[in-house]
Amino acid sequence: MANYENITIEKSMYQTKGKSLSEVLESLDPSENYKGTALEGLDAFGRQLKRFDIKVSGKNSDCVEKFFRTANSAALFPEYVSRAIRQGMEQADMLPDIVATVTNIDGMDYRSITSAPTEDDKSLKIVAEGAAIPQTVVKVQENLVKLHKRGRMLVASYEALRFQRLDLFTVTLNQIGAYIRRSQLKDAVEIILNGENGNDGCEVITADSTGTLTYGDLLKLWAGLNPYELNTILAPTDAVKAILAMDEMKDSVAGLNFQGTGKMVTPLGATLLHVPSLPSGKIIGLDKNCALEMVQAGEIITDYDKLIDRQLERATITCTAGFSRIFKDSAKALSY
């Protein structure tokens, strides 16, 4: 069994290409070696927190200064920050409901693939003997995927934070993560509506009536997306309110579920997502299985040098990502 108490934690571990500190520690101290022991269920980073007796959550959580008792424990602080940010991103994460696949890249230049089949291409016809087989053309995008760096700078001195409980500090970091995810969702919506070039967005379907969203309009969006599956609807606040107020959405069981859990009714079986950044008077329907690719240039990046050296007021936390459409007609907007 690897002895987690004898690992020397250094700044250089953060420079390991393609790996977070947690992953580096896991390679040095595999969790599988702890099966059947009291430490089973902790990952390598969790075992290091236990080694230095650092409690990051609960009513008895330690103060920030506990990380800086030793050089080894101080080197854990940037990873704690990254994990708290990631936790906040996951709590506010709606991207899995609209992203088909996530691609991780090492650089900043990436060209995705796309396909725009015609109506004739979408039908699998009988192929007579000797006849040509219909083709689905998949090609490389003309433009690079636009990557956007999102993040925050910590504006607080070490002296101001040293006696703050880690569970309270975690809440602040969670909110930074939530901000990053909401910004990335806005980027994804922008790509769907306006396209990679800003002028080749998704097809817009016009509702039968202006200014009022009806159940018939939702059916029109559902039909217009064929042969793709309408499994996700993105809607601004006014549209969400209109959908929830529809007579067709006032099923008694569904109403009780919304009032008791806050989980919204799903029109036509699609997941309804509240996206305040969407323009009023427009909703998006898409097939999440083939609409978007998310491209990430690494994971969350922290100024580990500054965090370890207690220069918190100058430390930045960033995440770089972009989006690209795969099947361009698998997402459509409804204007009402």
Side-chain angles (χ1 to χ4, degrees), residues 206-214 217 238-239 242 280-282 335-336:
T206 303
D208 294 329
S209 56
T210 302
T212 303
L213 182 63
T214 67
D217 295 328
D238 61 332
S280 181
K282 186 170 290 186
S335 180
Y336 62 94

Side-chain angles (χ1 to χ4, degrees), residues 195-211:
E196 289 78 5
N197 297 315
N199 57 6
D200 59 342
C202 66
E203 178 186 344
V204 178
I205 299 172
T206 303
D208 294 329
S209 56
T210 302

Side-chain angles (χ1 to χ4, degrees), residues 106-123:
D106 292 331
M108 297 295 290
D109 294 339
Y110 177 78
R111 292 183 190 273
S112 184
I113 60 172
T114 187
S115 181
T118 63
E119 290 299 322
D120 191 57
D121 294 332
K122 295 175 186 176
S123 60

Side-chain angles (χ1 to χ4, degrees), residues 7-31 43-49 51-52 54 67 71-83 86 299-302 304 307-308:
I7 295 176
T8 301
I9 307 169
E10 301 174 334
K11 288 182 181 181
S12 60
M13 290 181 172
Y14 287 96
Q15 299 173 351
T16 304
K17 189 174 183 179
K19 284 188 176 183
S20 65
L21 179 68
S22 292
E23 293 170 328
V24 173
L25 291 173
E26 194 67 37
S27 65
L28 297 173
D29 181 37
S31 294
D43 66 358
F45 182 78
R47 288 189 291 275
Q48 291 303 315
L49 292 180
R51 169 188 175 185
F52 297 104
I54 300 173
F67 271 105
N72 276 287
S73 60
L76 294 173
F77 187 64
E79 184 65 7
Y80 151 74
V81 171
S82 294
R83 287 164 71 109
R86 191 176 299 112
E299 294 290 335
I300 298 166
I301 298 175
T302 61
Y304 60 86
L307 290 175
I308 292 172

Side-chain angles (χ1 to χ4, degrees), residues 100-206:
T101 183
V102 178
T103 301
N104 291 294
I105 61 175
D106 292 331
M108 297 295 290
D109 294 339
Y110 177 78
R111 292 183 190 273
S112 184
I113 60 172
T114 187
S115 181
T118 63
E119 290 299 322
D120 191 57
D121 294 332
K122 295 175 186 176
S123 60
L124 296 182
K125 302 176 181 178
I126 297 175
V127 180
E129 184 176 352
I133 298 177
Q135 300 177 345
T136 296
V137 178
V138 178
K139 59 182 181 180
V140 176
Q141 296 267 27
E142 293 182 1
N143 301 313
L144 297 173
V145 175
K146 294 180 181 178
L147 302 179
H148 300 282
K149 180 182 287 187
R150 302 291 189 184
R152 275 287 190 265
M153 178 178 288
L154 288 175
V155 184
S157 66
Y158 171 70
E159 287 71 22
L161 291 177
R162 61 180 298 191
F163 297 121
Q164 295 299 322
R165 296 287 179 183
L166 285 167
D167 58 348
L168 176 60
F169 190 42
T170 298
V171 173
T172 302
L173 296 174
N174 286 167
Q175 285 304 302
I176 294 176
Y179 158 80
I180 292 173
R181 266 298 186 253
R182 286 193 292 269
S183 297
Q184 290 175 340
L185 177 64
K186 187 176 180 179
D187 292 339
V189 170
E190 179 73 15
I191 287 294
I192 294 172
L193 287 178
N194 300 315
E196 289 78 5
N197 297 315
N199 57 6
D200 59 342
C202 66
E203 178 186 344
V204 178
I205 299 172
T206 303

